[in-house]
Amino acid sequence: MGNFKLTSVEEFEAATNRLLETGAKVGADAWQLRVKNQTPHCKFGEQGVCCRICSMGPCRITPKAPRGICGCDVHGIVGRNFLRFTAGGSATHSDHGREICHTLHTVSPDGNYKVKDPEKLIRIAKEWGVETEGKDIYDLAHEMSELALLEYGKPFGTQRFLKRAPKHTQELWAKAEIEPRAIDREVATALHMTHMGCSSKPEALIRQSLRCGLSDGWGGSMCGTEFSDVMFGTPKPVDTEANLGVMKEDYVNIIVHGHDPSLSEMICDYCEDPEMIALAKSVGAKGINVAGVCCTSNEVAMRRGIPMAGNFLQQENVVLTGACEAIVVDVQCIFPALGPLSKCFHTKFITTSPIAQMPDSDFIQFNAETAGENAKLIVRTAVENFKNRKPELVHIPQLKQKATVGYSVEAIVKTLDKVTNSQVDETGTTKPLIECITSGVLRGAVAMVGCNNPRVRPDSAHIELMKKLIANDIIVVLSGCSAQAAARAGLMDKDAKELCGAGLKRVCELADIPPVLHMGSCVDISRMLILASELAKDSGLNISQLPLVGCAPEWMSEKAVSIGNYVVSTGIDTFLGVEPQVTGSSEVVGLLTDGIRDWVEAAYTVEKDIDKLGDLMIQRIEEKRAALGI
Ligand code: BF8
Ligand code: SF4
């Protein structure tokens, strides 16, 4: 076992506390303090029973006031709020996907963006019935970009990628009338349905919530993932490191944070530019160190091995080290707190997107057409800021772990195929994984995703659940901030196989993989949908029959609800550690935890006791095995 040791949540917290001491010295605010000011939370909001969609209200439902002024009951109000929450998440993921499709339109052999994975582009083009023979790859990229953008607004038909799902799943969607049409249409329909005086029937609202989620997972997010791979490369296993200790005291530290790889890829390129490195040396640094936070970190770690400084609730910590020259952000999950916080240090808080503009930031607009110049200016701004560091405030916690990341579906298939087949080819299947599962060497799989949330001791739910699952021979695939929690703890170190049950340990040894596999950012949960579909097709089972469940133990965002809806709608039971804001309606709760099973063969389970949540997942996996007689 060597010297392998996980980093504990207590060690994470000790490091944070030390950083908060620096924060206190400079008068910095922190989420830990703001949580105290916001607790206890508003009960009406928590239960989802407050309606603000017209100015006769707001109306709040209580036993004494069972209806809003328009007569809407609690089930209608909760259902509408849930659908609006979903629409927010679906729009956000899908708009990220749209940006990627626009970037694809700018690719050229000598431009800022190129086609790095032509085979993948050709594969998708063939899937979409586009002629590829004799076509210049860049012409094909532009044609595909336009077709993909049409998926957002086409007047007729449903999403092209739905055809990737098993036949049975497609039939369920058709029967339930939840096949997503144009991506933007599902968001617009959601807003229309929830306008004053439209739908108040929970069943209709939840049906649209599923459809709107599906337009994200099998539409916008899938476009985001697939065309990011085309431009930046399909991830393959790569070694990296994780936790705040990846920041380097004697280097210029640039933190990339947010989601869209179009920005971060370009920043990473310019951090390797000899001119920029020379500039860094001229200001007294040894070089330029770039590290990531949140999903941007997942993107650049998976494709380039860029180290991961932290996840969602670590974003203030990178500034609190006093060694962050610039935190460069694009969209989503960025605390507005970074503005005032950066002012307590020398850090430049650089916003780049018209979508995410914040006070107290330096706005350097980033465009695909001028990406090179923009990135260079950002890197230069950071490097020149090195001299403004206040040495007395610098403290980088010396915590970091090794991690192997980059398990796209293609990489998983290839890695496992190597174990069972001597002749490795590019057209592997998921059959080796299925054999491991049917033979019982692996009991099943869990897709663990999502955020941190101060309602749960940060990272502890992710890490404790992963430890429990792998000890029970359940392989875990990860994305988003869950993936970073694992990496920071050390669970993506191949030596973590020592924590597995005998079966999973053997698989890890044979395949040379860590027991938890990093599949990417949150839009990359679309990869998990494809993996589940391939497993179903290769095994001849329905997705809902596979011993596979989804889990978001510390989720917080609207995007997470959209994800939950498309994962469940794909036939995968989903387990949550934080309650959605729907508890005010027994009808909505009933639909989400049970009723929707009639439509999509899966439903939600909510359990705040994390140990019990783990037991429930294992129990569900074993039930699915028993039903299959394996
Ligand atoms: O999209 S896991 S906190 S960073 S929402 Fe955000 Fe949640 Fe992290 Fe990525 Ni996903
Ligand atoms: Fe109140 Fe109805 Fe207006 Fe909502 S739509 S705020 S319940 S009157």
Side-chain angles (χ1 to χ4, degrees), residues 51-59 68-72 77 80 196-197:
C51 184
R52 293 192 296 109
I53 65 173
C54 91
S55 75
M56 293 191 286
C59 298
I69 292 169
C70 65
C72 191
I77 289 174
R80 289 195 302 223
M196 194 276 149

Side-chain angles (χ1 to χ4, degrees), residues 109 112 144 348 379 387 402 456 467 566 580 599:
N112 288 315
M144 289 300 289
K348 295 267 183 208
V379 173
K387 59 180 183 300
K402 287 193 290 176
V456 181
K467 282 171 26 188
Y566 71 67
W599 308 338

Side-chain angles (χ1 to χ4, degrees), residues 104-261:
L104 185 66
H105 207 259
T106 70
V107 293
S108 75
D110 48 7
N112 288 315
Y113 299 101
K114 305 194 172 51
V115 172
K116 275 206 187 140
D117 191 341
E119 287 83 34
K120 186 153 191 170
L121 179 63
I122 292 170
R123 189 153 34 98
I124 305 168
K126 286 190 173 149
E127 212 183 303
W128 284 11
V130 173
E131 184 56 55
T132 59
E133 260 342 283
K135 208 172 266 175
D136 176 79
I137 198 74
Y138 282 89
D139 289 341
L140 182 63
H142 301 149
E143 190 178 341
M144 289 300 289
S145 139
E146 286 176 21
L147 282 180
L149 287 166
L150 282 174
E151 289 302 285
Y152 286 80
K154 62 185 183 188
F156 306 107
T158 55
Q159 285 299 297
R160 288 173 182 268
F161 279 135
L162 300 186
K163 298 266 177 311
R164 290 180 165 189
K167 265 233 136 42
H168 175 74
T169 311
Q170 294 182 47
E171 283 163 10
L172 287 177
W173 291 337
K175 191 157 166 246
E177 295 180 19
I178 55 171
E179 293 164 296
R181 301 156 295 178
I183 298 164
D184 290 345
R185 181 174 183 183
E186 299 311 348
V187 175
T189 297
L191 294 181
H192 189 172
M193 284 179 77
T194 55
H195 188 273
M196 194 276 149
C198 286
S199 291
S200 50
K201 195 171 165 189
E203 192 199 301
L205 293 162
I206 298 307
R207 216 181 269 277
Q208 182 59 20
S209 300
L210 301 187
R211 193 176 210 177
C212 195
L214 284 170
S215 76
D216 164 3
W218 290 89
S221 276
M222 205 169 274
C223 284
T225 296
E226 296 294 80
F227 296 116
S228 291
D229 283 358
V230 166
M231 286 188 287
F232 308 122
T234 303
K236 306 196 249 295
V238 57
D239 290 335
T240 185
E241 291 177 328
N243 219 342
L244 287 169
V246 304
M247 294 177 72
K248 295 182 183 167
E249 194 161 338
D250 34 15
Y251 281 67
V252 171
N253 287 298
I254 300 181
I255 299 293
V256 284
H257 174 14
H259 286 79
D260 185 341

Side-chain angles (χ1 to χ4, degrees), residues 326-330 348-352 361-364 377-378 381-382:
I327 180 160
V328 186
V329 304
D330 48 55
K348 295 267 183 208
F349 175 40
I350 303 178
T351 48
T352 61
S361 71
D362 292 1
F363 185 61
I364 302 180
L377 175 61
I378 290 167
T381 305

Side-chain angles (χ1 to χ4, degrees), residues 248-254 271 276-290 325 383 386 389:
K248 295 182 183 167
E249 194 161 338
D250 34 15
Y251 281 67
V252 171
N253 287 298
I254 300 181
C271 288
M276 289 297 126
I277 295 172
L279 184 67
K281 291 193 172 150
S282 76
V283 297
K286 283 195 177 150
I288 306 172
N289 180 44
V290 53
E325 273 57 58
V383 171
F386 182 75
R389 252 196 214 177

Side-chain angles (χ1 to χ4, degrees), residues 31-69:
W31 65 260
Q32 291 85 347
L33 307 171
R34 295 189 297 272
V35 165
K36 286 192 187 129
N37 295 341
Q38 287 296 340
T39 324
H41 295 278
C42 164
K43 287 278 171 262
F44 298 105
E46 270 185 337
Q47 296 168 4
V49 301
C50 173
C51 184
R52 293 192 296 109
I53 65 173
C54 91
S55 75
M56 293 191 286
C59 298
R60 302 182 305 188
I61 302 303
T62 63
K64 274 204 197 138
R67 287 183 187 268
I69 292 169

